[in-house]
Amino acid sequence: MSVTNRKEEILNLLREKDRVNVEDLSRRFGVSTQTIRSDLRDLAQAGLVARTHGGARRVTSASNRDYNERRKLNAGAKERIGRMAASLIPNDCSVTLNIGTTTEQVARALVGHENLMVLSNNINIINMMLGAPSKELVLVGGAVRQSDGAIVGEDAVEFISRYKVDYAVIGASALDEDGAVLDHDPREVSVARAILRNARTTVLVCDHSKFDRTAPVRICNLAELDYFVTDAPPPAAFARAAAEAGTEIVIADGDDER
């Protein structure tokens, strides 16, 4: 099999499953592991796969997914993450939440909290919490992105900078195993950074699928986060990066939330 055909076959395998292993590919194609690593390196440099320890994973993009469709993806996991993240936030405090289908689940779980001031650039969150008792709701000012109800841009950044809240809860489009937290829209990323800068305690909420996606713009690194709430144990490299950064990983797996 030619190099080109072998690489195409590797891509076909990744369309069927999320990850491939160097040793398995070596046996499948009857070539050395060094040859497979070279193939994967070339594919990664072309942006077609993402390298992992011992193999590669499929590259997917969330940027063109319809927002309502994204709400349905891993809905049960997002709900569990939302409840767990909300349990970290006490009554009688202030919290900022950014745009995202998982942060919306955090907001839903916060409805029963008392004496909260909730600041958000997510119109959906403010609408969801309207009428909830003992809540002061503040909608960030700025340009509205009509695809999902996010308020983004420099006006939003300046608005958020007027506040200093107790808790910030953000979502993201993708996570790298080295601890990078990523998104697609630079305007949205600027808002997320402002939210983190202007909070005393910072919380990232993402389900496990975000490790299988890529995005080009860095929001932050793990060192800027106090908690990472997810639904399954993260990759070992990410867990090590979190330990080094002092970021606590909280797993909401439905059975043994810890």
Side-chain angles (χ1 to χ4, degrees):
M1 180 180 289
S2 70
V3 174
T4 300
N5 288 342
R6 188 171 60 244
K7 290 177 181 177
E8 183 60 36
E9 185 62 24
I10 291 171
L11 292 175
N12 287 335
L13 288 171
L14 281 169
R15 292 186 186 105
E16 298 171 4
K17 54 185 180 179
D18 290 336
R19 295 172 183 263
V20 292
N21 178 274
V22 168
E23 298 287 346
D24 292 341
L25 293 175
S26 173
R27 287 191 293 269
R28 182 186 185 96
F29 296 118
V31 297
S32 69
T33 56
Q34 183 178 357
T35 296
I36 294 298
R37 289 191 180 94
S38 177
D39 290 344
L40 295 180
R41 183 174 60 250
D42 292 344
L43 290 170
Q45 288 174 348
L48 299 173
V49 305
R51 292 299 306 274
T52 64
H53 180 69
R57 59 180 169 81
R58 180 173 57 196
V59 171
T60 59
S61 171
S63 61
N64 59 352
R65 293 182 190 268
D66 178 80
Y67 193 69
N68 287 325
E69 180 188 344
R70 279 191 277 141
R71 279 197 177 103
K72 300 172 187 175
L73 293 174
N74 301 315
K78 291 174 182 177
E79 184 178 352
R80 293 192 299 273
I81 291 168
R83 290 197 304 267
M84 177 59 78
S87 74
L88 301 174
I89 299 170
N91 296 321
D92 306 298
C93 73
S94 53
V95 56
T96 303
L97 302 103
N98 79 336
I99 187 69
T101 56
T102 308
T103 54
E104 288 180 14
Q105 289 300 324
V106 179
R108 194 178 298 280
L110 286 172
V111 166
H113 280 50
E114 297 180 352
N115 299 321
L116 287 189
M117 190 279 275
V118 179
L119 173 72
S120 184
N121 74 318
N122 185 339
I123 290 175
N124 309 300
I125 283 176
I126 298 299
N127 285 336
M128 182 190 307
M129 302 189 84
L130 280 175
S134 304
K135 304 289 188 300
E136 178 185 352
L137 304 178
V138 179
L139 179 62
V140 171
V144 179
R145 190 171 61 190
Q146 295 194 34
S147 63
D148 57 7
I151 298 172
V152 295
E154 289 308 308
D155 287 343
V157 170
E158 196 260 331
F159 188 102
I160 291 165
S161 299
R162 302 175 197 166
Y163 292 82
K164 182 76 173 184
V165 300
D166 298 309
Y167 289 84
V169 181
I170 68 163
S173 291
L175 298 173
D176 267 7
E177 294 187 10
D178 66 1
V181 181
L182 305 164
D183 225 306
H184 295 279
D185 187 340
R187 299 173 302 162
E188 182 179 335
V189 167
S190 294
V191 171
R193 289 174 180 165
I195 288 172
L196 294 175
R197 281 196 307 270
N198 293 284
R200 297 179 178 88
T201 301
T202 54
V203 183
L204 171 68
V205 290
C206 287
D207 67 78
H208 69 279
S209 70
K210 300 302 173 68
F211 288 103
D212 295 324
R213 298 178 185 159
T214 62
V217 189
R218 185 190 300 268
I219 298 174
C220 66
N221 293 315
L222 283 169
E224 298 167 73
L225 299 167
D226 296 300
Y227 296 96
F228 169 48
V229 185
T230 188
D231 62 314
F238 188 93
R240 288 194 297 272
E244 292 171 3
T247 303
E248 183 175 345
I249 297 174
V250 184
I251 309 294
D253 59 15
D255 227 9
D256 175 23
E257 295 189 350
R258 58 194 183 277

